[in-house]
Amino acid sequence: MIICKKIWEMTCHNMIIVTLMLFLITGSLIMTGILVKKQEKSQENADRFEEEYGENQYYWVTEALDDRQYYTYLEGDYNGTQYKGLVNVLQSLWDEKQFSFCTCCCQSFCTNSKMQDIFLEGYEDGYADFAVSKRNGTDWYEVKTLMVSEKFFEINHINVKSGEKFSQQDYLWKEGEIVPVLLGKSYENFYHINDVFSGEYFGKELTLKVIGFLDDNSFYLSSSKNDFVSVERYMVLPALEIEEKTEFSQLLSLMELNGTIVSKTGFQNTGGICTELIENQGLKWELNLHNPQDESPQFVVKKYRKMTGQVAEQFRILVLLVMVFAIIALLINSFSILKKNQYAFGVELLCGASYKNILMEGAGFIFFILFTGDLWAVLFLLAMNSGIRSIILIQIIVGTASVITLICCIVYMKKMEIGDIIGGQE
Amino acid sequence: MLIDMNRIDVTYGKKLGVVPALKQVSLQVNEGEFLTIMGKSGCGKSTLLNVLGTIREPDGGTYFFDGKDVLQMKDSEKARFRNQNIGFVVQHFALLGERTIYDNIALPLHYMRIGNREIRVRVDRLLEKMELTDKKHKYPYELSGGQCQRTAIARALVTNPKLLLADEPTGALDEETGRNVMKLLQEINKNGTTIIMVTHDSDFAKLGSRSVTMQDGMFTG
């Protein structure tokens, strides 16, 4: 009882420091809990990825029209037969059951609204300046975008964190309609849902409206980089299906042939199915299917694991540093409070307290902060649905921290010379 | 005999050189005695009080209190022994500033683990005896030096100890208040409590039943 009273007294007399310590401990424990959750999720994603695609083969798909075919399609398709055929080919590819095809077309959206450098083409390579040009005295910015079909999210395991994902309706577009857009995580700091961007896409004036933000740790398999690339700095547009043949819709549909195929049926078979789908529409075009050795399933799965592992590793180091800092800060501040109470401990010793009682008061005070922080963190993690593993892990950390602080506390209090009240060293 | 202490050695310091504070000190005190210890600063008086009060472990020697071997006791036993048998009064009162006079006096009783009702009875009785009843809810900084020392004496007596150790109890007080405190200590001694008091004041030292002098960690007279 008297120990509790003393701990409470020390807490009340150092309310500001105790509150700050509580914030620090709670915050770092919550971060640790979130790390575990994130790691679990990454692991889950990697496992699911391996389970679903470990046996699969990846192919990059690009249109392979020669110049004659290209210009005939764009300028000589008077009755729209080729356009209609291409639209049907795309639909068949998206619906194909023997493999999964997703459109993934990396192009720029040009806008005269001021954009942060990180969202501009070439930023990662140090060429963001080249993505800004002047037209009639106004700056225009080339913003990185991905135009994707529905299966893009499934193939790359990308989810929407906030807002809405693309609905079936969002893929259908008519002249004058606003195009919905999903933004990568980095956009969150600058833009909100329902924000609107005006600009040009394939030379067509378009208005984009933000409908959501993508999950952290989202990567897509890029054919140009031959690697997983984070979508955090990308705008993601739906692969638009446009009924009316216009210069814009012709160009856009052709671009929508670029993407990724995930297939178990082998290179020859997959290529054969694609050719058949094209020929069925009376077109004599070819698709390029790349199957370099690097894109073997094992390699892709390994890459995916490495990518998610790297993100988790960075976060782990950060959390570890914060945790160590939090414990050191707790010890330093607690020791200064214990030092302030040295005289009171000495008085208690004279009144019949044992060294053990006094040690329990000192350690109890530190434990009070530690366990209160732990309690808040657990409640927060429970509210966040972070899972039992996160909670068990932070209990292990708190347990370890308790042992460390207890040892430090014993050593410190032994050196405090609390029995010096009578006369000192005469 | 209440205290039988023989050949007590205490040294301070380790790596940077050893300073002997008590050298083969022996002391016998009978029950009901009022022993005063005089000596210059640094002669070992307070160290002796620390050993008597079981705050400081000597490096060598024996110490029997009422027939019990104090030096063989464990830390928790010593704490209980100190709580039940020894009261301390020090020069600067050693009161807890954030607690009321009542709470300061009651502090040793909490370590005795006795009920709140009993605590209230004992503390109120002492408050009345020390003429501090009207100050019970005040804090030490609201009291005069004499009142603080009376509070410290009340706290020392609240457990009915056999021995009262006083380290310069009048050192921080003016002459008149100091005399009053000495009268109070004499009265306490008359009621049967053994007192060992360290003082620089030879006049106050004469008020004890026996007076000893220390020099360089030894008794000289």
Side-chain angles (χ1 to χ4, degrees), chain A residues 3-4 6-8 10-11 18 330 334 338 345 356-372 402 405-406 409-410 413:
Chain A
I3 291 170
C4 296
K6 181 70 190 168
I7 292 169
W8 185 242
M10 284 197 278
T11 307
V18 169
L330 173 71
S334 302
L338 293 182
F345 290 144
K356 198 173 139 198
N357 291 137
I358 291 165
L359 184 67
M360 278 166 74
E361 286 175 0
F365 172 68
I366 301 178
F367 287 172
F368 170 74
I369 298 174
L370 201 57
F371 293 135
T372 310
S402 308
T405 49
L406 183 65
C409 197
I410 292 170
M413 290 186 82

PDB file of all heavy atoms in Angstrom, chain A residues 3-4 6-8 10-11 18 330 334 338 345 356-372 402 405-406 409-410 413:
ATOM      1  N   ILE A   3       3.925   1.418  -0.822  1.00  0.00           N
ATOM      2  CA  ILE A   3       4.722   1.458  -2.063  1.00  0.00           C
ATOM      3  C   ILE A   3       3.887   2.070  -3.189  1.00  0.00           C
ATOM      4  O   ILE A   3       4.355   2.945  -3.922  1.00  0.00           O
ATOM      5  CB  ILE A   3       5.209   0.036  -2.426  1.00  0.00           C
ATOM      6  CG1 ILE A   3       6.240  -0.406  -1.388  1.00  0.00           C
ATOM      7  CG2 ILE A   3       5.811  -0.013  -3.825  1.00  0.00           C
ATOM      8  CD1 ILE A   3       6.640  -1.854  -1.475  1.00  0.00           C
ATOM      9  N   CYS A   4       2.625   1.644  -3.273  1.00  0.00           N
ATOM     10  CA  CYS A   4       1.732   2.203  -4.297  1.00  0.00           C
ATOM     11  C   CYS A   4       1.571   3.703  -4.098  1.00  0.00           C
ATOM     12  O   CYS A   4       1.571   4.475  -5.060  1.00  0.00           O
ATOM     13  CB  CYS A   4       0.359   1.539  -4.235  1.00  0.00           C
ATOM     14  SG  CYS A   4       0.420  -0.189  -4.629  1.00  0.00           S
ATOM     15  N   LYS A   6       3.665   5.747  -2.733  1.00  0.00           N
ATOM     16  CA  LYS A   6       4.898   6.438  -3.119  1.00  0.00           C
ATOM     17  C   LYS A   6       5.004   6.535  -4.647  1.00  0.00           C
ATOM     18  O   LYS A   6       5.391   7.585  -5.184  1.00  0.00           O
ATOM     19  CB  LYS A   6       6.101   5.659  -2.543  1.00  0.00           C
ATOM     20  CG  LYS A   6       7.443   6.265  -2.852  1.00  0.00           C
ATOM     21  CD  LYS A   6       7.650   7.559  -2.108  1.00  0.00           C
ATOM     22  CE  LYS A   6       8.881   8.271  -2.615  1.00  0.00           C
ATOM     23  NZ  LYS A   6       8.971   9.641  -2.134  1.00  0.00           N
ATOM     24  N   ILE A   7       4.642   5.431  -5.337  1.00  0.00           N
ATOM     25  CA  ILE A   7       4.694   5.442  -6.805  1.00  0.00           C
ATOM     26  C   ILE A   7       3.739   6.507  -7.342  1.00  0.00           C
ATOM     27  O   ILE A   7       4.069   7.275  -8.241  1.00  0.00           O
ATOM     28  CB  ILE A   7       4.334   4.042  -7.371  1.00  0.00           C
ATOM     29  CG1 ILE A   7       5.439   3.050  -7.016  1.00  0.00           C
ATOM     30  CG2 ILE A   7       4.133   4.087  -8.886  1.00  0.00           C
ATOM     31  CD1 ILE A   7       5.077   1.607  -7.285  1.00  0.00           C
ATOM     32  N   TRP A   8       2.556   6.576  -6.735  1.00  0.00           N
ATOM     33  CA  TRP A   8       1.571   7.552  -7.171  1.00  0.00           C
ATOM     34  C   TRP A   8       2.076   8.988  -6.929  1.00  0.00           C
ATOM     35  O   TRP A   8       1.898   9.865  -7.772  1.00  0.00           O
ATOM     36  CB  TRP A   8       0.243   7.298  -6.452  1.00  0.00           C
ATOM     37  CG  TRP A   8      -0.856   8.187  -6.947  1.00  0.00           C
ATOM     38  CD1 TRP A   8      -1.555   9.116  -6.244  1.00  0.00           C
ATOM     39  CD2 TRP A   8      -1.377   8.237  -8.293  1.00  0.00           C
ATOM     40  NE1 TRP A   8      -2.453   9.741  -7.046  1.00  0.00           N
ATOM     41  CE2 TRP A   8      -2.372   9.235  -8.319  1.00  0.00           C
ATOM     42  CE3 TRP A   8      -1.077   7.548  -9.471  1.00  0.00           C
ATOM     43  CZ2 TRP A   8      -3.080   9.550  -9.459  1.00  0.00           C
ATOM     44  CZ3 TRP A   8      -1.779   7.877 -10.617  1.00  0.00           C
ATOM     45  CH2 TRP A   8      -2.774   8.857 -10.604  1.00  0.00           C
ATOM     46  N   MET A  10       5.229   9.966  -6.801  1.00  0.00           N
ATOM     47  CA  MET A  10       6.279  10.274  -7.781  1.00  0.00           C
ATOM     48  C   MET A  10       5.651  10.598  -9.140  1.00  0.00           C
ATOM     49  O   MET A  10       6.109  11.486  -9.843  1.00  0.00           O
ATOM     50  CB  MET A  10       7.259   9.097  -7.919  1.00  0.00           C
ATOM     51  CG  MET A  10       8.212   8.996  -6.752  1.00  0.00           C
ATOM     52  SD  MET A  10       9.637   7.955  -7.113  1.00  0.00           S
ATOM     53  CE  MET A  10       8.990   6.351  -6.823  1.00  0.00           C
ATOM     54  N   THR A  11       4.587   9.873  -9.480  1.00  0.00           N
ATOM     55  CA  THR A  11       3.904  10.115 -10.751  1.00  0.00           C
ATOM     56  C   THR A  11       3.282  11.504 -10.759  1.00  0.00           C
ATOM     57  O   THR A  11       3.457  12.271 -11.710  1.00  0.00           O
ATOM     58  CB  THR A  11       2.807   9.051 -10.971  1.00  0.00           C
ATOM     59  OG1 THR A  11       3.409   7.773 -10.824  1.00  0.00           O
ATOM     60  CG2 THR A  11       2.170   9.157 -12.331  1.00  0.00           C
ATOM     61  N   VAL A  18       6.185  12.027 -16.902  1.00  0.00           N
ATOM     62  CA  VAL A  18       5.527  10.710 -16.936  1.00  0.00           C
ATOM     63  C   VAL A  18       4.603  10.613 -18.161  1.00  0.00           C
ATOM     64  O   VAL A  18       4.596   9.602 -18.871  1.00  0.00           O
ATOM     65  CB  VAL A  18       4.748  10.458 -15.627  1.00  0.00           C
ATOM     66  CG1 VAL A  18       3.855   9.235 -15.746  1.00  0.00           C
ATOM     67  CG2 VAL A  18       5.709  10.290 -14.462  1.00  0.00           C
ATOM     68  N   LEU A 330      13.326   6.281 -21.101  1.00  0.00           N
ATOM     69  CA  LEU A 330      12.574   5.924 -19.888  1.00  0.00           C
ATOM     70  C   LEU A 330      13.525   5.791 -18.699  1.00  0.00           C
ATOM     71  O   LEU A 330      13.265   6.317 -17.608  1.00  0.00           O
ATOM     72  CB  LEU A 330      11.814   4.614 -20.111  1.00  0.00           C
ATOM     73  CG  LEU A 330      11.124   4.014 -18.888  1.00  0.00           C
ATOM     74  CD1 LEU A 330       9.928   4.860 -18.485  1.00  0.00           C
ATOM     75  CD2 LEU A 330      10.659   2.592 -19.150  1.00  0.00           C
ATOM     76  N   SER A 334      13.562   8.270 -15.614  1.00  0.00           N
ATOM     77  CA  SER A 334      13.174   7.644 -14.342  1.00  0.00           C
ATOM     78  C   SER A 334      14.291   7.792 -13.316  1.00  0.00           C
ATOM     79  O   SER A 334      14.039   8.075 -12.145  1.00  0.00           O
ATOM     80  CB  SER A 334      12.869   6.167 -14.548  1.00  0.00           C
ATOM     81  OG  SER A 334      11.854   6.028 -15.492  1.00  0.00           O
ATOM     82  N   LEU A 338      14.178   9.340  -9.702  1.00  0.00           N
ATOM     83  CA  LEU A 338      14.610   8.589  -8.510  1.00  0.00           C
ATOM     84  C   LEU A 338      15.650   9.403  -7.736  1.00  0.00           C
ATOM     85  O   LEU A 338      15.637   9.447  -6.510  1.00  0.00           O
ATOM     86  CB  LEU A 338      15.204   7.241  -8.904  1.00  0.00           C
ATOM     87  CG  LEU A 338      14.240   6.222  -9.524  1.00  0.00           C
ATOM     88  CD1 LEU A 338      14.966   4.916  -9.821  1.00  0.00           C
ATOM     89  CD2 LEU A 338      13.060   5.950  -8.616  1.00  0.00           C
ATOM     90  N   PHE A 345      13.742   8.617  -0.006  1.00  0.00           N
ATOM     91  CA  PHE A 345      14.066   7.198   0.199  1.00  0.00           C
ATOM     92  C   PHE A 345      14.864   7.034   1.499  1.00  0.00           C
ATOM     93  O   PHE A 345      14.649   6.085   2.254  1.00  0.00           O
ATOM     94  CB  PHE A 345      14.884   6.647  -0.977  1.00  0.00           C
ATOM     95  CG  PHE A 345      14.108   6.508  -2.254  1.00  0.00           C
ATOM     96  CD1 PHE A 345      14.695   6.754  -3.480  1.00  0.00           C
ATOM     97  CD2 PHE A 345      12.775   6.125  -2.244  1.00  0.00           C
ATOM     98  CE1 PHE A 345      13.988   6.628  -4.668  1.00  0.00           C
ATOM     99  CE2 PHE A 345      12.051   6.002  -3.423  1.00  0.00           C
ATOM    100  CZ  PHE A 345      12.658   6.262  -4.636  1.00  0.00           C
ATOM    101  N   LYS A 356      14.791  -3.399   0.020  1.00  0.00           N
ATOM    102  CA  LYS A 356      13.897  -4.057  -0.940  1.00  0.00           C
ATOM    103  C   LYS A 356      12.641  -3.210  -1.177  1.00  0.00           C
ATOM    104  O   LYS A 356      12.196  -3.036  -2.310  1.00  0.00           O
ATOM    105  CB  LYS A 356      13.523  -5.435  -0.392  1.00  0.00           C
ATOM    106  CG  LYS A 356      12.973  -6.383  -1.433  1.00  0.00           C
ATOM    107  CD  LYS A 356      12.812  -7.749  -0.806  1.00  0.00           C
ATOM    108  CE  LYS A 356      11.521  -8.389  -1.253  1.00  0.00           C
ATOM    109  NZ  LYS A 356      11.113  -9.479  -0.386  1.00  0.00           N
ATOM    110  N   ASN A 357      12.100  -2.667  -0.053  1.00  0.00           N
ATOM    111  CA  ASN A 357      10.919  -1.798  -0.184  1.00  0.00           C
ATOM    112  C   ASN A 357      11.227  -0.615  -1.098  1.00  0.00           C
ATOM    113  O   ASN A 357      10.439  -0.264  -1.992  1.00  0.00           O
ATOM    114  CB  ASN A 357      10.504  -1.215   1.178  1.00  0.00           C
ATOM    115  CG  ASN A 357       9.943  -2.238   2.112  1.00  0.00           C
ATOM    116  OD1 ASN A 357      10.255  -2.257   3.288  1.00  0.00           O
ATOM    117  ND2 ASN A 357       9.111  -3.125   1.596  1.00  0.00           N
ATOM    118  N   ILE A 358      12.383  -0.012  -0.859  1.00  0.00           N
ATOM    119  CA  ILE A 358      12.753   1.192  -1.615  1.00  0.00           C
ATOM    120  C   ILE A 358      13.011   0.849  -3.076  1.00  0.00           C
ATOM    121  O   ILE A 358      12.604   1.576  -3.981  1.00  0.00           O
ATOM    122  CB  ILE A 358      13.966   1.876  -0.948  1.00  0.00           C
ATOM    123  CG1 ILE A 358      13.483   2.458   0.390  1.00  0.00           C
ATOM    124  CG2 ILE A 358      14.566   2.963  -1.819  1.00  0.00           C
ATOM    125  CD1 ILE A 358      14.553   2.855   1.333  1.00  0.00           C
ATOM    126  N   LEU A 359      13.642  -0.289  -3.281  1.00  0.00           N
ATOM    127  CA  LEU A 359      13.885  -0.740  -4.652  1.00  0.00           C
ATOM    128  C   LEU A 359      12.553  -0.998  -5.367  1.00  0.00           C
ATOM    129  O   LEU A 359      12.378  -0.652  -6.540  1.00  0.00           O
ATOM    130  CB  LEU A 359      14.727  -2.019  -4.626  1.00  0.00           C
ATOM    131  CG  LEU A 359      15.128  -2.554  -5.978  1.00  0.00           C
ATOM    132  CD1 LEU A 359      16.092  -1.603  -6.672  1.00  0.00           C
ATOM    133  CD2 LEU A 359      15.767  -3.917  -5.859  1.00  0.00           C
ATOM    134  N   MET A 360      11.615  -1.555  -4.631  1.00  0.00           N
ATOM    135  CA  MET A 360      10.292  -1.824  -5.212  1.00  0.00           C
ATOM    136  C   MET A 360       9.588  -0.521  -5.584  1.00  0.00           C
ATOM    137  O   MET A 360       8.872  -0.456  -6.587  1.00  0.00           O
ATOM    138  CB  MET A 360       9.427  -2.631  -4.244  1.00  0.00           C
ATOM    139  CG  MET A 360       9.735  -4.122  -4.300  1.00  0.00           C
ATOM    140  SD  MET A 360       9.036  -5.008  -2.928  1.00  0.00           S
ATOM    141  CE  MET A 360       7.316  -5.047  -3.352  1.00  0.00           C
ATOM    142  N   GLU A 361       9.817   0.505  -4.785  1.00  0.00           N
ATOM    143  CA  GLU A 361       9.216   1.811  -5.119  1.00  0.00           C
ATOM    144  C   GLU A 361       9.825   2.356  -6.413  1.00  0.00           C
ATOM    145  O   GLU A 361       9.113   2.820  -7.302  1.00  0.00           O
ATOM    146  CB  GLU A 361       9.460   2.809  -3.984  1.00  0.00           C
ATOM    147  CG  GLU A 361       8.599   2.550  -2.775  1.00  0.00           C
ATOM    148  CD  GLU A 361       8.921   3.465  -1.611  1.00  0.00           C
ATOM    149  OE1 GLU A 361       9.821   4.324  -1.731  1.00  0.00           O
ATOM    150  OE2 GLU A 361       8.272   3.307  -0.568  1.00  0.00           O
ATOM    151  N   GLY A 362      11.163   2.292  -6.486  1.00  0.00           N
ATOM    152  CA  GLY A 362      11.864   2.812  -7.665  1.00  0.00           C
ATOM    153  C   GLY A 362      11.510   2.032  -8.917  1.00  0.00           C
ATOM    154  O   GLY A 362      11.106   2.602  -9.936  1.00  0.00           O
ATOM    155  N   ALA A 363      11.638   0.704  -8.797  1.00  0.00           N
ATOM    156  CA  ALA A 363      11.346  -0.147  -9.963  1.00  0.00           C
ATOM    157  C   ALA A 363       9.857  -0.090 -10.284  1.00  0.00           C
ATOM    158  O   ALA A 363       9.466  -0.067 -11.454  1.00  0.00           O
ATOM    159  CB  ALA A 363      11.776  -1.573  -9.678  1.00  0.00           C
ATOM    160  N   GLY A 364       9.058  -0.038  -9.230  1.00  0.00           N
ATOM    161  CA  GLY A 364       7.601   0.016  -9.419  1.00  0.00           C
ATOM    162  C   GLY A 364       7.192   1.234 -10.221  1.00  0.00           C
ATOM    163  O   GLY A 364       6.293   1.175 -11.063  1.00  0.00           O
ATOM    164  N   PHE A 365       7.883   2.343  -9.956  1.00  0.00           N
ATOM    165  CA  PHE A 365       7.581   3.580 -10.686  1.00  0.00           C
ATOM    166  C   PHE A 365       7.864   3.403 -12.186  1.00  0.00           C
ATOM    167  O   PHE A 365       7.048   3.771 -13.034  1.00  0.00           O
ATOM    168  CB  PHE A 365       8.423   4.726 -10.100  1.00  0.00           C
ATOM    169  CG  PHE A 365       8.346   5.996 -10.880  1.00  0.00           C
ATOM    170  CD1 PHE A 365       7.174   6.732 -10.925  1.00  0.00           C
ATOM    171  CD2 PHE A 365       9.441   6.461 -11.589  1.00  0.00           C
ATOM    172  CE1 PHE A 365       7.097   7.908 -11.655  1.00  0.00           C
ATOM    173  CE2 PHE A 365       9.372   7.622 -12.322  1.00  0.00           C
ATOM    174  CZ  PHE A 365       8.197   8.345 -12.358  1.00  0.00           C
ATOM    175  N   ILE A 366       9.026   2.799 -12.489  1.00  0.00           N
ATOM    176  CA  ILE A 366       9.378   2.576 -13.898  1.00  0.00           C
ATOM    177  C   ILE A 366       8.401   1.575 -14.522  1.00  0.00           C
ATOM    178  O   ILE A 366       7.921   1.765 -15.635  1.00  0.00           O
ATOM    179  CB  ILE A 366      10.835   2.074 -14.031  1.00  0.00           C
ATOM    180  CG1 ILE A 366      11.791   3.096 -13.418  1.00  0.00           C
ATOM    181  CG2 ILE A 366      11.197   1.831 -15.495  1.00  0.00           C
ATOM    182  CD1 ILE A 366      13.252   2.697 -13.436  1.00  0.00           C
ATOM    183  N   PHE A 367       8.087   0.524 -13.765  1.00  0.00           N
ATOM    184  CA  PHE A 367       7.148  -0.486 -14.272  1.00  0.00           C
ATOM    185  C   PHE A 367       5.766   0.120 -14.515  1.00  0.00           C
ATOM    186  O   PHE A 367       5.057  -0.264 -15.431  1.00  0.00           O
ATOM    187  CB  PHE A 367       7.023  -1.663 -13.300  1.00  0.00           C
ATOM    188  CG  PHE A 367       8.232  -2.556 -13.297  1.00  0.00           C
ATOM    189  CD1 PHE A 367       8.364  -3.564 -12.360  1.00  0.00           C
ATOM    190  CD2 PHE A 367       9.249  -2.397 -14.226  1.00  0.00           C
ATOM    191  CE1 PHE A 367       9.480  -4.394 -12.354  1.00  0.00           C
ATOM    192  CE2 PHE A 367      10.363  -3.203 -14.223  1.00  0.00           C
ATOM    193  CZ  PHE A 367      10.476  -4.205 -13.281  1.00  0.00           C
ATOM    194  N   PHE A 368       5.401   1.054 -13.622  1.00  0.00           N
ATOM    195  CA  PHE A 368       4.094   1.704 -13.759  1.00  0.00           C
ATOM    196  C   PHE A 368       3.995   2.372 -15.140  1.00  0.00           C
ATOM    197  O   PHE A 368       3.003   2.217 -15.853  1.00  0.00           O
ATOM    198  CB  PHE A 368       3.912   2.736 -12.645  1.00  0.00           C
ATOM    199  CG  PHE A 368       2.715   3.625 -12.829  1.00  0.00           C
ATOM    200  CD1 PHE A 368       1.435   3.136 -12.617  1.00  0.00           C
ATOM    201  CD2 PHE A 368       2.858   4.947 -13.237  1.00  0.00           C
ATOM    202  CE1 PHE A 368       0.328   3.945 -12.803  1.00  0.00           C
ATOM    203  CE2 PHE A 368       1.765   5.766 -13.422  1.00  0.00           C
ATOM    204  CZ  PHE A 368       0.491   5.263 -13.212  1.00  0.00           C
ATOM    205  N   ILE A 369       5.060   3.088 -15.514  1.00  0.00           N
ATOM    206  CA  ILE A 369       5.064   3.761 -16.827  1.00  0.00           C
ATOM    207  C   ILE A 369       5.052   2.716 -17.950  1.00  0.00           C
ATOM    208  O   ILE A 369       4.270   2.795 -18.890  1.00  0.00           O
ATOM    209  CB  ILE A 369       6.297   4.677 -16.970  1.00  0.00           C
ATOM    210  CG1 ILE A 369       6.251   5.774 -15.903  1.00  0.00           C
ATOM    211  CG2 ILE A 369       6.368   5.292 -18.362  1.00  0.00           C
ATOM    212  CD1 ILE A 369       7.479   6.651 -15.855  1.00  0.00           C
ATOM    213  N   LEU A 370       5.920   1.714 -17.781  1.00  0.00           N
ATOM    214  CA  LEU A 370       6.072   0.685 -18.811  1.00  0.00           C
ATOM    215  C   LEU A 370       4.759  -0.080 -19.039  1.00  0.00           C
ATOM    216  O   LEU A 370       4.308  -0.255 -20.167  1.00  0.00           O
ATOM    217  CB  LEU A 370       7.184  -0.270 -18.376  1.00  0.00           C
ATOM    218  CG  LEU A 370       7.870  -1.103 -19.432  1.00  0.00           C
ATOM    219  CD1 LEU A 370       8.467  -0.228 -20.521  1.00  0.00           C
ATOM    220  CD2 LEU A 370       8.971  -1.938 -18.801  1.00  0.00           C
ATOM    221  N   PHE A 371       4.145  -0.502 -17.927  1.00  0.00           N
ATOM    222  CA  PHE A 371       2.942  -1.328 -18.059  1.00  0.00           C
ATOM    223  C   PHE A 371       1.712  -0.506 -18.454  1.00  0.00           C
ATOM    224  O   PHE A 371       0.821  -1.019 -19.126  1.00  0.00           O
ATOM    225  CB  PHE A 371       2.690  -2.132 -16.782  1.00  0.00           C
ATOM    226  CG  PHE A 371       3.738  -3.180 -16.545  1.00  0.00           C
ATOM    227  CD1 PHE A 371       4.306  -3.367 -15.298  1.00  0.00           C
ATOM    228  CD2 PHE A 371       4.193  -3.976 -17.588  1.00  0.00           C
ATOM    229  CE1 PHE A 371       5.293  -4.318 -15.090  1.00  0.00           C
ATOM    230  CE2 PHE A 371       5.177  -4.928 -17.393  1.00  0.00           C
ATOM    231  CZ  PHE A 371       5.727  -5.104 -16.141  1.00  0.00           C
ATOM    232  N   THR A 372       1.680   0.763 -18.018  1.00  0.00           N
ATOM    233  CA  THR A 372       0.561   1.607 -18.457  1.00  0.00           C
ATOM    234  C   THR A 372       0.668   1.825 -19.964  1.00  0.00           C
ATOM    235  O   THR A 372      -0.331   1.745 -20.692  1.00  0.00           O
ATOM    236  CB  THR A 372       0.556   2.955 -17.708  1.00  0.00           C
ATOM    237  OG1 THR A 372       0.659   2.696 -16.326  1.00  0.00           O
ATOM    238  CG2 THR A 372      -0.706   3.746 -17.985  1.00  0.00           C
ATOM    239  N   SER A 402      11.348  -4.939 -18.952  1.00  0.00           N
ATOM    240  CA  SER A 402      11.175  -4.924 -17.490  1.00  0.00           C
ATOM    241  C   SER A 402      12.416  -5.486 -16.807  1.00  0.00           C
ATOM    242  O   SER A 402      12.900  -4.925 -15.816  1.00  0.00           O
ATOM    243  CB  SER A 402       9.982  -5.770 -17.069  1.00  0.00           C
ATOM    244  OG  SER A 402       8.864  -5.398 -17.774  1.00  0.00           O
ATOM    245  N   THR A 405      15.252  -2.972 -17.193  1.00  0.00           N
ATOM    246  CA  THR A 405      15.080  -1.801 -16.331  1.00  0.00           C
ATOM    247  C   THR A 405      15.257  -2.181 -14.855  1.00  0.00           C
ATOM    248  O   THR A 405      15.804  -1.396 -14.086  1.00  0.00           O
ATOM    249  CB  THR A 405      13.696  -1.132 -16.523  1.00  0.00           C
ATOM    250  OG1 THR A 405      12.703  -2.122 -16.464  1.00  0.00           O
ATOM    251  CG2 THR A 405      13.600  -0.402 -17.820  1.00  0.00           C
ATOM    252  N   LEU A 406      14.807  -3.382 -14.498  1.00  0.00           N
ATOM    253  CA  LEU A 406      14.961  -3.810 -13.101  1.00  0.00           C
ATOM    254  C   LEU A 406      16.443  -3.917 -12.744  1.00  0.00           C
ATOM    255  O   LEU A 406      16.867  -3.412 -11.690  1.00  0.00           O
ATOM    256  CB  LEU A 406      14.257  -5.156 -12.884  1.00  0.00           C
ATOM    257  CG  LEU A 406      14.285  -5.678 -11.445  1.00  0.00           C
ATOM    258  CD1 LEU A 406      13.495  -4.749 -10.527  1.00  0.00           C
ATOM    259  CD2 LEU A 406      13.712  -7.078 -11.346  1.00  0.00           C
ATOM    260  N   CYS A 409      17.880  -0.529 -12.571  1.00  0.00           N
ATOM    261  CA  CYS A 409      17.347   0.153 -11.390  1.00  0.00           C
ATOM    262  C   CYS A 409      18.077  -0.311 -10.121  1.00  0.00           C
ATOM    263  O   CYS A 409      18.444   0.508  -9.272  1.00  0.00           O
ATOM    264  CB  CYS A 409      15.859  -0.158 -11.298  1.00  0.00           C
ATOM    265  SG  CYS A 409      14.991   0.943 -10.230  1.00  0.00           S
ATOM    266  N   ILE A 410      18.298  -1.635 -10.017  1.00  0.00           N
ATOM    267  CA  ILE A 410      19.012  -2.165  -8.846  1.00  0.00           C
ATOM    268  C   ILE A 410      20.409  -1.555  -8.782  1.00  0.00           C
ATOM    269  O   ILE A 410      20.837  -1.051  -7.743  1.00  0.00           O
ATOM    270  CB  ILE A 410      19.092  -3.716  -8.902  1.00  0.00           C
ATOM    271  CG1 ILE A 410      17.698  -4.317  -8.717  1.00  0.00           C
ATOM    272  CG2 ILE A 410      20.044  -4.255  -7.838  1.00  0.00           C
ATOM    273  CD1 ILE A 410      17.615  -5.808  -8.991  1.00  0.00           C
ATOM    274  N   MET A 413      20.183   2.242  -7.955  1.00  0.00           N
ATOM    275  CA  MET A 413      19.771   2.562  -6.583  1.00  0.00           C
ATOM    276  C   MET A 413      20.811   2.124  -5.556  1.00  0.00           C
ATOM    277  O   MET A 413      20.921   2.722  -4.488  1.00  0.00           O
ATOM    278  CB  MET A 413      18.398   1.972  -6.285  1.00  0.00           C
ATOM    279  CG  MET A 413      17.314   2.708  -7.074  1.00  0.00           C
ATOM    280  SD  MET A 413      15.645   2.225  -6.684  1.00  0.00           S
ATOM    281  CE  MET A 413      15.315   3.167  -5.210  1.00  0.00           C
TER     282      MET A 413
END
